[in-house]
Amino acid sequence: METVPGRRRTVTGAFARFVLCGGGVGVAAGFAVTALASLVPWVLANALVTVVSTLLATELHARFTFGAGGRATWRQHTQSAGSAAAAYAVTCAAVLALHQLVAAPGAVLEQVVYLSASALAGVARFAVLRLVVFARDRSRVTTTVRTAHPVRTAAPCAAAPAGPAALCHAA
């Protein structure tokens, strides 16, 4: 798939960019959740940080990870929000399970559990973003490139023969 002239996007390269962009936002989100959770309940802090980090990560993924060629569309943000909601559920379940298993987990243990759950959910999000959210844009680019060239015939058209016998023979 060509997104930028002369620059080919591969699954491996896209995953590396996904880890860099999404992982960087995820690590920052982990610290933000911990800081915000000292002021509000953890589930609310996670929800707020998930919304902000999803908006930021979707923009980064549109511009850099999947090479969509610019800002993310509203459709891409909406679809990305769906995958982020699933990731939110996974991180909440992991941290709530930790609190059921450990009476008073420290911030470091909570971070390890949160970031591990985020990484697991992130791998699934990569697949969803690549195959669903940003896939349509790539097919449009490919279709546009394929149909942009004029159709050429093998030989120039000649005038049709005039007589009925010639027409029958041509058929």
Side-chain angles (χ1 to χ4, degrees):
M1 165 208 57
E2 292 284 329
T3 54
V4 177
R7 192 167 162 191
R8 187 145 183 88
R9 301 274 179 168
T10 63
V11 173
T12 306
F15 189 72
R17 288 185 300 278
F18 179 82
V19 169
L20 184 65
C21 293
V25 170
V27 169
F31 289 113
V33 167
T34 301
L36 193 56
S38 65
L39 304 172
V40 299
W42 188 90
V43 173
L44 179 59
N46 189 24
L48 294 171
V49 170
T50 297
V51 169
V52 172
S53 65
T54 299
L55 291 170
L56 176 60
T58 301
E59 282 296 325
L60 290 172
H61 293 320
R63 293 174 188 221
F64 304 112
T65 303
F66 300 107
R71 296 191 57 152
T73 65
W74 283 107
R75 178 189 57 79
Q76 290 167 332
H77 276 292
T78 302
Q79 289 176 329
S80 181
S83 68
Y88 170 77
V90 168
T91 57
C92 280
V95 172
L96 291 175
L98 171 67
H99 283 274
Q100 292 298 316
L101 296 171
V102 179
V108 172
L109 180 58
E110 195 170 80
Q111 278 290 72
V112 167
V113 170
Y114 174 81
L115 291 175
S116 297
S118 292
L120 178 65
V123 171
R125 281 197 75 213
F126 173 77
V128 169
L129 293 175
R130 180 167 175 82
L131 298 173
V132 178
V133 177
F134 294 103
R136 293 182 186 142
D137 290 338
R138 286 195 302 266
S139 64
R140 281 187 199 137
V141 169
T142 303
T143 302
T144 303
V145 170
R146 285 185 190 150
T147 59
H149 302 314
V151 177
R152 298 175 191 212
T153 57
C157 295
L167 287 177
C168 290
H169 178 66

Coordinates of all heavy atoms in Angstrom, one line a residue, residues 76-110:
Q76 N -13.4 7.9 12.1 CA -12.2 7.2 12.7 C -12.2 7.3 14.2 O -11.9 6.4 15.0 CB -10.9 7.6 12.1 CG -10.8 7.2 10.6 CD -9.7 7.9 9.9 OE1 -9.4 9.0 10.2 NE2 -9.1 7.2 8.9
H77 N -12.5 8.6 14.7 CA -12.5 8.8 16.2 C -13.6 7.9 16.8 O -13.4 7.4 17.9 CB -12.8 10.3 16.5 CG -11.5 11.1 16.5 ND1 -10.5 10.9 17.4 CD2 -11.1 12.1 15.6 CE1 -9.6 11.8 17.2 NE2 -9.9 12.5 16.1
T78 N -14.8 7.8 16.2 CA -15.9 7.1 16.7 C -15.5 5.6 16.8 O -15.8 4.9 17.8 CB -17.2 7.3 15.9 OG1 -17.5 8.7 15.8 CG2 -18.3 6.5 16.4
Q79 N -15.0 5.1 15.7 CA -14.6 3.7 15.7 C -13.4 3.4 16.7 O -13.4 2.4 17.3 CB -14.2 3.2 14.3 CG -15.3 3.2 13.3 CD -14.9 2.8 11.9 OE1 -13.8 3.2 11.5 NE2 -15.7 2.1 11.1
S80 N -12.5 4.3 16.8 CA -11.4 4.1 17.7 C -12.0 4.2 19.1 O -11.5 3.4 20.0 CB -10.4 5.2 17.5 OG -9.3 5.1 18.4
A81 N -13.0 5.0 19.4 CA -13.6 5.0 20.7 C -14.2 3.7 21.1 O -14.1 3.3 22.3 CB -14.6 6.1 20.8
G82 N -14.7 3.0 20.1 CA -15.3 1.6 20.4 C -14.2 0.7 20.9 O -14.4 -0.1 21.9
S83 N -13.0 0.7 20.2 CA -12.0 -0.2 20.6 C -11.4 0.3 22.0 O -10.9 -0.5 22.8 CB -10.9 -0.3 19.6 OG -10.2 0.9 19.4
A84 N -11.4 1.6 22.2 CA -10.9 2.1 23.5 C -11.8 1.8 24.6 O -11.4 1.5 25.7 CB -10.7 3.6 23.4
A85 N -13.1 1.7 24.3 CA -14.1 1.3 25.4 C -13.8 -0.2 25.8 O -13.8 -0.5 27.0 CB -15.5 1.4 24.9
A86 N -13.5 -1.0 24.9 CA -13.1 -2.4 25.2 C -11.8 -2.4 26.0 O -11.7 -3.1 27.0 CB -12.9 -3.2 24.0
A87 N -10.8 -1.6 25.6 CA -9.6 -1.5 26.4 C -9.8 -0.9 27.8 O -9.2 -1.4 28.8 CB -8.6 -0.6 25.6
Y88 N -10.7 0.0 27.9 CA -11.1 0.5 29.2 C -11.6 -0.6 30.1 O -11.3 -0.7 31.3 CB -12.1 1.7 29.1 CG -12.8 2.1 30.3 CD1 -12.1 3.0 31.2 CD2 -14.0 1.7 30.7 CE1 -12.6 3.4 32.4 CE2 -14.6 2.2 31.8 CZ -13.9 3.0 32.7 OH -14.5 3.4 33.9
A89 N -12.5 -1.4 29.6 CA -13.1 -2.5 30.3 C -12.0 -3.5 30.8 O -12.1 -3.9 31.9 CB -14.1 -3.2 29.5
V90 N -11.1 -3.7 29.9 CA -10.0 -4.7 30.3 C -9.1 -4.1 31.4 O -8.8 -4.8 32.4 CB -9.1 -5.0 29.0 CG1 -7.8 -5.7 29.4 CG2 -9.9 -5.8 28.0
T91 N -8.8 -2.8 31.3 CA -7.9 -2.2 32.3 C -8.7 -2.1 33.7 O -8.1 -2.3 34.7 CB -7.4 -0.8 31.9 OG1 -8.4 0.0 31.6 CG2 -6.4 -1.0 30.7
C92 N -9.9 -1.7 33.6 CA -10.7 -1.7 34.8 C -10.9 -3.1 35.5 O -10.7 -3.2 36.7 CB -12.1 -1.1 34.5 SG -12.2 0.7 34.4
A93 N -11.1 -4.1 34.7 CA -11.3 -5.4 35.2 C -10.0 -5.9 35.9 O -10.0 -6.5 37.0 CB -11.7 -6.4 34.1
A94 N -8.8 -5.6 35.2 CA -7.5 -6.0 35.8 C -7.3 -5.3 37.1 O -6.8 -5.9 38.1 CB -6.4 -5.7 34.8
V95 N -7.5 -4.0 37.2 CA -7.2 -3.3 38.4 C -8.2 -3.6 39.5 O -7.8 -3.8 40.7 CB -7.1 -1.7 38.2 CG1 -7.0 -1.0 39.5 CG2 -5.9 -1.4 37.3
L96 N -9.4 -3.8 39.1 CA -10.4 -4.2 40.2 C -10.1 -5.6 40.7 O -10.3 -5.9 41.9 CB -11.8 -4.1 39.6 CG -12.4 -2.7 39.3 CD1 -13.7 -2.7 38.6 CD2 -12.4 -1.9 40.6
A97 N -9.7 -6.5 39.8 CA -9.2 -7.8 40.2 C -8.0 -7.7 41.2 O -8.0 -8.4 42.2 CB -8.9 -8.7 39.0
L98 N -7.1 -6.8 40.9 CA -6.0 -6.6 41.8 C -6.4 -6.2 43.1 O -6.0 -6.7 44.2 CB -5.0 -5.5 41.2 CG -3.9 -5.1 42.1 CD1 -2.9 -6.2 42.4 CD2 -3.2 -3.8 41.5
H99 N -7.4 -5.3 43.2 CA -7.9 -4.8 44.5 C -8.7 -5.8 45.2 O -8.7 -5.8 46.5 CB -8.7 -3.5 44.3 CG -7.9 -2.3 44.0 ND1 -7.4 -1.5 45.0 CD2 -7.5 -1.7 42.9 CE1 -6.7 -0.5 44.5 NE2 -6.7 -0.6 43.2
Q100 N -9.2 -6.8 44.5 CA -9.9 -8.0 45.2 C -8.8 -8.9 45.8 O -9.1 -9.5 46.8 CB -10.8 -8.7 44.2 CG -12.0 -7.9 43.8 CD -12.9 -7.6 45.0 OE1 -13.2 -8.4 45.8 NE2 -13.3 -6.3 45.0
L101 N -7.7 -9.0 45.1 CA -6.7 -10.0 45.5 C -5.7 -9.4 46.5 O -5.2 -10.1 47.4 CB -5.9 -10.5 44.3 CG -6.7 -11.3 43.3 CD1 -5.8 -11.5 42.0 CD2 -7.1 -12.6 43.9
V102 N -5.5 -8.1 46.5 CA -4.5 -7.4 47.4 C -5.2 -6.3 48.1 O -5.8 -5.4 47.4 CB -3.3 -6.9 46.6 CG1 -2.3 -6.2 47.5 CG2 -2.6 -8.0 45.8
A103 N -5.2 -6.3 49.4 CA -6.0 -5.4 50.2 C -5.6 -3.9 49.9 O -6.4 -3.1 49.7 CB -5.9 -5.7 51.7
A104 N -4.3 -3.6 49.9 CA -3.9 -2.3 49.6 C -2.6 -2.3 48.7 O -1.5 -2.2 49.2 CB -3.5 -1.6 50.9
P105 N -2.9 -2.5 47.4 CA -1.7 -2.6 46.5 C -1.0 -1.2 46.4 O -1.7 -0.2 46.4 CB -2.4 -2.9 45.1 CG -3.8 -2.5 45.2 CD -4.1 -2.6 46.7
G106 N 0.3 -1.2 46.3 CA 1.0 0.0 46.1 C 0.9 0.6 44.7 O 0.4 -0.1 43.8
A107 N 1.3 1.8 44.6 CA 1.2 2.5 43.3 C 2.0 1.7 42.2 O 1.5 1.7 41.0 CB 1.7 3.9 43.4
V108 N 3.1 1.2 42.5 CA 4.0 0.5 41.5 C 3.2 -0.8 41.1 O 3.2 -1.0 39.8 CB 5.4 0.1 42.1 CG1 6.1 -0.7 41.2 CG2 6.1 1.4 42.4
L109 N 2.7 -1.6 42.0 CA 2.0 -2.8 41.6 C 0.8 -2.4 40.7 O 0.5 -3.1 39.7 CB 1.6 -3.6 42.8 CG 0.8 -4.9 42.5 CD1 1.6 -5.8 41.6 CD2 0.5 -5.6 43.8
E110 N 0.1 -1.4 41.1 CA -1.1 -1.0 40.4 C -0.7 -0.5 39.0 O -1.4 -0.9 38.0 CB -1.8 0.2 41.1 CG -3.2 0.4 40.6 CD -4.0 1.4 41.5 OE1 -3.7 2.6 41.4 OE2 -4.8 0.9 42.3

